Amino acid sequence: MNSPASQPLRSVRWSGDASGSLILVDQTLIPLETRELDLRTVEEVWEAIKMLRVRGAPAIGCAAAYGVVVGAQTHLNSPRDAFVARVAEVCDYLAESRPTAVNLFWALDRMRAVAGASSLETPQELLEELLDTARAIETEDREMCAAIGRHGAALLPDNIGILTHCNAGGLATAGDGTALAIMFEAAAQGKNIHVYADETRPLLQGARLTTWELMQRNVPVTLICDSMAGWAMKEGRVQAVITGADRIAANGDSANKIGTYSVALLAKAHGIPFYIAAPSSTFDLSLETGEDIPIEERNPEEITHGFGRQTAPTGVAVYNPAFDVVPASHIQGIVTEKGVISPVTTENVRALLGSNG
Ligand code: MRU
């Protein structure tokens, strides 16, 4: 389905009532095409998450929440207990799609808890309550993005070059993004900013998605290869680095797209502040440090046959971790919807997030 040109693009949305469907922008097609997918089975939702048609930690969480509604629709005529069991089964299934972004598990836990604790009697009523919860997750995410934008923009001086890695924009969330929300807000406040977008090998989220979003919103952006980040810093083009995160441990260690660790080391070497921007749904306070964050390994063909062309010898050994972890000690501040955690310590994380993180 082609996206209606008159409406602002929403990466994740629900169409209709509880018998409706999940609509996603297929991010694998951008920037060449903007097409929406209409997903009506939980298998289609699983595939969309796995194949990065929907990607970015908060957007994955929103899509999974709606995916539970899609998956539960098949059991409307079952007894109540069987319907609740189906919800748990769908949550377990979707949890297998990708391992690193904790927003996925956070959203699924919330949906599972609603079904488990509900006093409503019929599957139809339960399904509507699940849809209300998924809608709330989407709305809250949009509000969190706006608050992150406000808190983060206050950190940025005028006339600044900002480097970002991967895509932490509107496509990756239900709202304006996390890292990019800060840039959109700073630009809206009239600050003169220039963004350097790492292309983000191997799947090029920076080249395909971040530049596209910034250009659509008229924020000045320059695309660079990942290997150029250090030199751009050395040349004085970059005064701050801001990225999103997929999971943040209790001590502030932050997992994000592979390459973020290198960028953080480069920033440290050049005395440039490195910020993470993420909502509280991205924190996993059950993990003491980033050592315990599961890192997704993806198909070697993403490296050897990127975008349909073979670029390495047949049979070459490949290592393809999709994420890395930036130690808290390398992070100047974590910008959340509740404020900025700085310095990044276990005490400060817990003080800002309380027990809700
Ligand atoms: O593999 P992806 O594209 O889902 O990885 C996404 C990222 O690493 C983002 O930076 C992160 O999820 C933050 S999105 C606001």
Side-chain angles (χ1 to χ4, degrees), residues 23-38:
I23 310 288
L24 296 177
V25 174
D26 187 343
Q27 299 190 34
T28 64
L29 303 178
I30 295 174
L32 297 180
E33 198 180 333
T34 311
R35 192 193 304 165
E36 288 187 328
L37 302 170
D38 187 343

Side-chain angles (χ1 to χ4, degrees), residues 334-353:
I334 303 179
V335 185
T336 77
E337 78 279 10
K338 299 181 180 184
V340 181
I341 300 167
S342 182
V344 182
T345 62
T346 305
E347 295 67 36
N348 288 345
V349 168
R350 289 207 185 268
L352 195 78
L353 296 184

Side-chain angles (χ1 to χ4, degrees), residues 27 49 52 54-60 98 101 103 145 164-173 177-180 200 203 205 208-209 243-247 255-258 260 277-279 282 296 298 322-323:
Q27 299 190 34
I49 296 173
L52 276 56
V54 59
R55 45 136 311 274
I60 292 171
R98 292 190 77 188
N103 305 60
C145 290
T164 191
H165 190 78
C166 195
N167 171 266
L171 290 166
T173 65
T178 56
L180 289 203
T200 315
L203 295 181
Q205 289 93 331
R208 295 186 296 108
L209 309 176
T243 75
D246 288 83
R247 193 185 296 222
N256 192 49
K257 179 52 54 193
I258 190 74
T260 308
T282 299
E296 177 181 17
R298 291 187 63 86
F323 299 95

Side-chain angles (χ1 to χ4, degrees), residues 4 12 31 46 59 84 99 111 117 125 130-131 142-143 160 169 178 183 185 190 220 250 253 263 266 268 284 295 337:
V12 182
W46 191 95
V84 172
M111 298 296 282
E125 290 171 316
L130 287 170
L131 178 58
R142 196 169 301 121
E143 291 165 357
I160 182 172
T178 56
M183 301 171 206
E185 176 62 22
D253 290 352
V263 171
L266 289 169
K268 197 174 181 89
D284 182 351
I295 301 293
E337 78 279 10

Side-chain angles (χ1 to χ4, degrees), residues 124-185:
Q124 179 63 40
E125 290 171 316
L126 276 170
L127 189 71
E128 284 165 18
E129 192 177 17
L130 287 170
L131 178 58
D132 288 345
T133 307
R135 286 194 201 279
I137 287 172
E138 184 196 330
T139 304
E140 289 164 22
D141 187 60
R142 196 169 301 121
E143 291 165 357
M144 287 194 277
C145 290
I148 288 170
R150 288 192 296 274
H151 291 302
L155 297 170
L156 300 181
D158 200 3
N159 300 315
I160 182 172
I162 306 165
L163 187 134
T164 191
H165 190 78
C166 195
N167 171 266
L171 290 166
T173 65
D176 264 356
T178 56
L180 289 203
I182 295 172
M183 301 171 206
F184 292 138
E185 176 62 22

